[in-house]
Amino acid sequence: KDAGVNRQRMLIVILILLFIIIVTSGLYYRQTSLRLKEQEIFNQQKEILQLKEQAQQLILAQSKMEVQRFTQRIIEKNRLIEQLNRQLSEMSSSQWATDRELFFDRLTNLRLLTEDDWEEFKSIFNKAHPGVYEQLRRNFSSMTTGDQRLFLLIRLNFSDIQIADTLGISKEGVRKSRYRLRKKLNLERESDLDSIVLGLKANTETN
């Protein structure tokens, strides 16, 4: 009789142990599956973020190339104007009488930074340097369009010669424009204009 009771007790213990093992194994499997699922989701999110970042970097790179192409086109336009002006100065009176209207038409069509040019330039610049132009307008509302153009060209690391070519003005004109821009920015005499312009950060701009 005692042997039978002991066997029953042993059987009960074994069943309890089997139940504990099964439950524990199920919980372990479930936790392992959840961790694997969480890791998979994390890896997917990380990959998505990396792809987004790569796409943003590609867009920025393409936009900066567009800015370079646009400004080069403006510079080439200015060189054509200079060439036409030289031809005009070298024309004889008879040539002037004959070709005057043709030259004026060509000069008009080549006019630097028309309103359409300026709008296109701002659009391309905003893609390459998001937020900078809007912050410029908010912080320095007294700036004229000419001040803004100079600011953006300095922001693009243009030299004074390149600025002169792009805006169709002399180097002396660039110097005077820089002086006016310094006053609009309320800069001290010892402050470096280029450093201030290049140091302007927008919340949405990334390096």
Side-chain angles (χ1 to χ4, degrees), residues 56-57 60 64 124-136 138 151-152 155-156 196-207:
Q56 289 174 348
Q57 293 297 328
L60 285 175
K64 289 177 180 179
I124 297 172
F125 181 92
N126 286 334
K127 292 178 184 177
H129 302 274
V132 171
Y133 179 69
E134 288 305 316
Q135 184 167 332
L136 175 66
R138 286 196 303 270
F151 186 100
L152 299 189
R155 177 76 185 195
L156 294 173
I196 299 298
V197 171
L198 293 172
L200 179 68
K201 296 287 184 182
N203 294 332
T204 56
E205 185 180 23
T206 56
N207 291 324

Side-chain angles (χ1 to χ4, degrees), residues 40-147:
E40 182 181 354
I41 292 173
F42 174 78
N43 291 337
Q44 289 176 347
Q45 291 176 338
K46 184 178 179 180
E47 184 177 356
I48 290 172
L49 288 175
Q50 288 176 340
L51 290 173
K52 285 183 177 179
E53 184 177 350
Q54 291 174 0
Q56 289 174 348
Q57 293 297 328
L58 180 60
I59 291 172
L60 285 175
Q62 290 175 336
S63 298
K64 289 177 180 179
M65 289 179 63
E66 286 182 26
V67 170
Q68 292 176 351
R69 285 196 294 265
F70 180 85
T71 51
Q72 185 59 38
R73 192 168 77 240
I74 296 297
I75 290 172
E76 290 173 356
K77 185 191 288 188
N78 182 56
R79 289 172 181 163
L80 286 174
I81 290 176
E82 290 178 352
Q83 181 182 2
L84 284 173
N85 282 328
R86 284 196 301 271
Q87 291 176 4
L88 280 171
S89 64
E90 295 170 358
M91 286 175 62
S92 64
S93 299
S94 58
Q95 288 176 316
W96 171 252
T98 305
D99 300 330
R100 176 175 57 185
E101 293 184 4
L102 174 62
F103 272 85
F104 278 144
D105 288 341
R106 292 178 66 183
L107 280 172
T108 301
N109 292 332
L110 286 172
R111 188 165 60 89
L112 285 176
L113 282 178
T114 63
E115 285 305 312
D116 289 341
D117 288 335
W118 174 232
E119 292 302 320
E120 181 183 358
F121 178 80
K122 285 191 297 184
S123 175
I124 297 172
F125 181 92
N126 286 334
K127 292 178 184 177
H129 302 274
V132 171
Y133 179 69
E134 288 305 316
Q135 184 167 332
L136 175 66
R137 292 184 61 191
R138 286 196 303 270
N139 294 349
F140 307 102
S141 56
S142 63
M143 276 192 182
T144 65
T145 299
D147 297 329

Side-chain angles (χ1 to χ4, degrees), residues 1 4 17 24-25 36 51 66 73 75 78 90 92 95 105 136 142 144 158 167 169 174-175 181 185 187 189 191 201:
K1 185 177 179 180
L17 289 174
T24 304
S25 299
L36 290 174
L51 290 173
E66 286 182 26
R73 192 168 77 240
I75 290 172
N78 182 56
E90 295 170 358
S92 64
Q95 288 176 316
D105 288 341
L136 175 66
S142 63
T144 65
F158 273 41
L167 299 180
I169 59 179
V174 173
R175 189 188 67 78
L181 182 58
L185 296 176
L187 298 183
R189 183 181 298 274
S191 300
K201 296 287 184 182

